[in-house]
Structure formats: C-alpha cells, structure tokens
Amino acid sequence: MVEIVLNSINTGADGGLAPNAIPGLCLLVDDSALVRKIARKIFSGLGFETDEAENGQIALEKCRGRMPDVVLLDWNMPVMDGLEFLKSLRHTDGGREPAVIFCTTETDVDHIQRALANGANEYLMKPFDQESLVAKLDMVYYRK
Amino acid sequence: MSVDELTKARSIADSAIATMQRYEIPTTPANYAIWYEYHAGQSPNLQRTIDVLISNNAAFNENTLQDLYATFVSSAKEAQAVREISTHALQTLQDIVGIAALARGDAEQFGNTLRGFASQGLGESLGNLKSLIETLVQESQNMAGRTEYVGLRMRESAGKIEALERNLESAILDSTLDGLTGVANRKSFDTIIRKSAGEAMNSGDELSMLMIDIDHFKKVNDTWGHQTGDIVLRHLAQTLQKAVRGGDHVARYGGEEFAIILPNTDGKAAVSVAENIRETLAKEPLVIELTPPITPTTVSIGAACYDPGEPLAEWVGRADAALYSAKRDGRDRVELN
C-alpha cells in the first residue's frame, strides 16, 4: 500500500506532486499517545516528516513556528480542542495552506458539518488504519 | 417546467431512489427529500457531509437521517414557508408510515407511490413540492384508512399519538435487535465494533472479541427440527447474556454464530470469559423433552484482542481463524489468536 501510494506521488500521475518531491511535514494533534504513535508510523512510512502536539494550543504554537503541510486533528482534547485550533489556524498567517484532516470518534452529522464549515478538508472516523488514512490523504493532499 | 428541466428532475429522482436502495434507507418523504437534494447538487454542505459519511462507511441510521434532514433540508432558506408546512406534514407522514410498516407492511405501497411520483419528475419549484405533499398526504390517508391500527382519528387524539410514538421508538429499537434471540443483530454489531475500537484506540485500553459457534448445529436442525434449533439459539443467547458484564456487547453474527465485544479485556481475560460460557452451558444445559433425547449444546470459541491501527476486518478475521482452530481441534474448546 505504501509503495503504491509513493509510486503514484513520484509519477505525479493525476497532477500530484512533482517527481521526487518530499511529501512534507505532518503535524499530529491528539491527546492520545497511542493514536499519535499509530499515525506517526503510517506518515513516516509514506515519507512524511512528523511533529506532534497533545492539544490545540501546543499545535497552534508549533504552526506559528513552522507551518505544516498536513494536520491530523483530534476533536476532544484538554486546554484547546480541535475545532478551536482549526478556527485559530485558519486566521493565522499562512494558516489556510495546510490540509486538515479531522480524526475523531465523533460520528454525528453535527460534528461533521461543523468541522467542514470551519475549514476542515476531510474527516476521518476513528478507528482508522493505514488504508483509510491514506484514502483521506489522497483526497486532500496528493490530488491538491 | 421545460422538457429539459423535467428530464433533469427525473434523472435526479431516479438517482435518489437508487442511492436509497443501495444504502437500505427507508423511502420516507423526509429521506427522499435528503437524497433528492444530494443528487440535485444544490446544497454543497449537505453533499460534503454525506460524502464524509459514505467514505467512512458510516451507517445511515435513524438518527443520522433525522440530523441530515434537520440540518440541511428543513432549514434551507428558500421555500421556508412551504417547508414549514411540509416538515409538519412529513413528520406526521413518517409516523404513519412507521406504524404502518410495523403493523402491516403497507409502507411498501407508500414507497411505490413515492417511486411513481419520482418517475413523473419532481422539479425544484414550490408548486411541485406543494403538490408532492398533497399527493403524499392523500396517499397516507388512504393507507391509514386501510389499517385499523392507524385510524384517521389518530391525529386528533394526543394520547393515541403518544402511544404510537412509543411504538415507533420500539420499532427503531427492534431494528437493532435480532428478532429470534433478542441480542444485537449483525447491523448493530458493526456499529458497536467501530465505536468500541475507536474508544480503545483513543484510550489505549484493551479490547477483545469472542466468536462463538454452536457445535453440530446442523444435526440439531436435521434431527429435532428447526423449531428446536430456534430454542437452542435462544438458550445460548440467554447464557451469553448472563456470562457477560454490563458494558459487554452480545450480538448474533449470523446463523448459529454469535459474537461478544469485551471492552477493558485483554486476550487472557477474554479466554476466561469464554471458558466460563463453556462451563455454564455444561452446568445449565437446555432442558426439553424430545425423542430421541437432545444432546447438550456445546460451543467452539475463538478469541482475539484488538491491535489499534489494524483494519477491523483483520481483527474479526483473527477471531474467526481462532474459532476455526477450535473446531478443527475437536470442538467444545476455546482458542486465542
């Protein structure tokens, strides 16, 4: 799966990235160390550089330091939740650029609708696995 | 409406009906309105939200459909006045359809009317919406007239409506339960497994699954008949319910196969639960007098602990493989994978 995806990036078959392009920086925002670990493994396998934050506030500081290309974003977190982070991010300099994928156990229409309305590019329901995560990445990043 | 508009509306209506059938969505007026809007492409937010649900393989259950309707369809700014009336009418219709489905299966007739209406071509104009509602109201009255359970007086009697609402709720509840055994059905098992695994992924808590299959069940059916087979299934379901804790979930997975989801349970603890089930079956067998006497039921059980990040199908596959090992190694035993 990893090979197939990397292959399609390198060939740029569907107007994707240029040959040999580096996939970029992915910021993993989740208060669960386990979720970050699983996501880190998948993104690293795809060639991404990864950074992590355990809540929205830390994530926002990291974004102000260096804007990531992709953000995998949990909803329910202490200090600052995912939606608050997203709203602030989109009003930060350069903050409209990153592809934001919400990644949460919330599955109802209200959450999905609010995420999209506030600038999320995609929405992934937990539990995720390599295949479902790559499918979302394909929608918002590789085809961008 | 021009010929082109009519053709377009008809094709949207056809797509809406096809999609509803594909996702097994009941053809109520409100649901039809959602899927008509989705295919008409006039509401990007509705479309994106539904696309998220589809791409995550989420179930279009009663709550999700109600939320979609409330969020996107009934609140559309245009045609607000008509929609207010129609929402009320649609709600009443939905109740009647739900009750009729429960009582008689007359909803099929209603679905046909809807389909007939769709093929005539429903445009986006208010006049069309209004005439749609009128036709549906007429049809629902016809339907109500045919059903002693739902009389025309129902809308006049608050008490009656309340009772009907309770019935609707129980109908909704029933749709998540297996009719024969009363435990969760396969459809709700799929929802439970996703929810449990999502929570386990967040918390890092252990999560296990048991796959339970009755040994030589075919022989039970062949020797003592299907009615006895049903009694055996019910007895096992009761035994499973008694063997688990409050937060555990028992489901009928298919035929003579059951599944149990055990939160906060590692592989070793899951095996003890499984052994306990086996022992309880031996200690408290089903007592019915039959000729020839019925052999006590035994089960084979496969257990597997969730590994966060693995596809759910893989986890289920591991439990199934363990069940297969238990069968192969002589039945009436537990295997952990």
Side-chain angles (χ1 to χ4, degrees):
Chain A
M1 193 66 206
V2 179
E3 280 170 12
I4 295 164
V5 171
L6 286 176
N7 214 3
S8 76
I9 302 166
N10 289 338
T11 55
D14 45 21
L17 300 181
N20 304 319
I22 299 162
L25 172 66
C26 177
L27 181 60
L28 308 169
V29 190
D30 201 304
D31 59 335
S32 159
L34 177 60
V35 170
R36 295 200 305 270
K37 182 180 148 195
I38 295 163
R40 188 199 313 139
K41 217 171 134 192
I42 296 172
F43 277 101
S44 302
L46 296 169
F48 277 87
E49 188 184 341
T50 61
D51 196 1
E52 299 175 24
E54 60 189 55
N55 66 52
Q57 193 172 313
I58 297 171
L60 211 51
E61 282 158 22
K62 294 207 170 195
C63 286
R64 284 176 184 138
R66 181 185 168 196
M67 200 53 82
D69 301 286
V70 178
V71 179
L72 190 72
L73 183 62
D74 187 21
W75 194 297
N76 301 304
M77 291 178 289
V79 187
M80 185 192 281
D81 72 17
L83 192 66
E84 285 309 308
F85 162 79
L86 179 59
K87 288 178 188 167
S88 305
L89 174 72
R90 293 311 194 199
H91 288 100
T92 303
D93 267 356
R96 304 193 68 81
E97 292 305 314
V100 175
I101 304 172
F102 249 110
C103 179
T104 169
T105 49
E106 305 292 351
T107 59
D108 58 289
V109 169
D110 182 55
H111 278 87
I112 298 169
Q113 192 261 121
R114 279 196 287 152
L116 296 176
N118 284 287
N121 301 80
E122 259 298 341
Y123 195 101
L124 176 65
M125 293 175 191
K126 287 175 182 170
F128 62 89
D129 54 53
Q130 166 128 355
E131 196 183 333
S132 60
L133 178 55
V134 167
K136 293 296 178 192
L137 206 50
D138 197 36
M139 301 286 286
V140 300
Y141 191 62
Y142 294 143
R143 286 185 193 170
K144 206 165 101 176
Chain B
M1 199 156 50
S2 74
V3 175
D4 273 1
E5 281 172 337
L6 202 65
T7 312
K8 191 179 162 224
R10 187 171 299 165
S11 119
I12 294 167
D14 286 346
S15 304
I17 296 288
T19 310
M20 289 170 77
Q21 280 169 349
R22 184 169 163 205
Y23 295 108
E24 294 175 3
I25 294 160
T27 42
T28 63
N31 290 345
Y32 179 75
I34 295 169
W35 293 93
Y36 188 92
E37 293 262 356
Y38 176 74
H39 285 285
Q42 301 294 314
S43 170
N45 292 335
L46 168 70
Q47 259 180 324
R48 287 188 73 198
T49 301
I50 287 181
D51 286 342
V52 162
L53 289 163
I54 290 175
S55 65
N56 280 286
N57 294 314
F60 285 102
N61 58 30
E62 198 72 26
N63 282 344
T64 302
L65 290 163
Q66 274 173 12
D67 287 349
L68 284 171
Y69 185 80
T71 311
F72 298 108
V73 183
S74 61
S75 66
K77 274 179 203 142
E78 73 233 48
Q80 190 64 40
V82 171
R83 297 220 193 246
E84 267 169 32
I85 302 161
S86 66
T87 304
H88 182 73
L90 293 177
Q91 194 56 52
T92 312
L93 283 165
Q94 259 190 312
D95 290 353
I96 296 168
V97 171
I99 298 302
L102 193 64
R104 283 278 175 114
D106 264 13
E108 201 177 328
Q109 169 63 29
F110 184 79
N112 287 338
T113 305
L114 199 57
R115 227 158 284 142
F117 210 93
S119 66
Q120 286 166 33
L122 165 68
E124 281 115 309
S125 71
L126 299 188
N128 274 304
L129 182 59
K130 213 166 183 176
S131 78
L132 169 72
I133 302 296
E134 277 161 11
T135 308
L136 293 178
V137 169
Q138 185 56 48
E139 176 58 34
S140 75
Q141 280 171 350
N142 293 344
M143 191 166 76
R146 284 196 301 272
T147 316
E148 75 267 19
Y149 193 46
V150 188
L152 275 177
R153 280 196 296 174
M154 114 179 188
R155 265 163 289 174
E156 297 159 21
S157 159
K160 249 187 184 172
I161 288 175
E162 257 173 53
L164 292 171
E165 276 171 359
R166 274 199 299 278
N167 282 342
L168 251 189
E169 273 166 29
S170 75
I172 290 162
L173 183 68
D174 283 349
S175 72
T176 68
L177 298 182
D178 174 56
L180 179 66
T181 61
V183 298
N185 62 19
R186 173 63 183 270
K187 204 172 167 185
S188 62
F189 175 76
D190 290 341
T191 309
I192 292 164
I193 192 174
R194 288 177 56 128
K195 192 166 183 290
S196 308
E199 282 162 8
M201 183 182 238
N202 269 345
S203 65
D205 292 340
E206 303 279 6
L207 175 68
S208 289
M209 175 188 337
L210 300 179
M211 279 291 178
I212 301 143
D213 193 89
I214 301 177
D215 296 327
H216 303 296
F217 186 68
K218 191 177 176 298
K219 196 188 151 200
V220 175
N221 278 330
D222 290 349
T223 313
W224 295 282
H226 287 273
Q227 275 189 325
T228 306
D230 287 352
I231 295 170
V232 168
L233 287 169
R234 277 201 288 264
H235 174 253
L236 175 61
Q238 281 160 15
T239 306
L240 298 180
Q241 291 279 32
K242 274 191 281 180
V244 300
R245 301 159 303 181
D248 303 336
H249 305 279
V250 179
R252 186 166 175 208
Y253 193 72
E256 68 265 30
E257 196 170 348
F258 290 80
I260 304 182
I261 297 292
L262 303 160
N264 300 307
T265 308
D266 63 10
K268 205 178 146 199
V271 169
S272 335
V273 175
E275 289 293 357
N276 182 32
I277 289 166
R278 238 171 36 78
E279 284 159 22
T280 310
L281 270 178
K283 272 189 294 192
E284 299 166 25
L286 175 65
V287 184
I288 36 172
E289 288 185 15
L290 291 168
T291 319
I294 190 164
T295 0
T297 305
T298 64
V299 291
S300 300
I301 303 179
C305 191
Y306 175 56
D307 178 13
E310 79 175 321
L312 292 183
E314 235 172 79
W315 178 30
V316 175
R318 286 194 293 115
D320 251 338
L323 170 59
Y324 179 77
S325 299
K327 290 271 182 194
R328 193 193 47 206
D329 294 348
R331 297 185 174 85
D332 192 15
R333 67 187 64 227
V334 180
E335 284 286 336
L336 173 67
N337 187 341

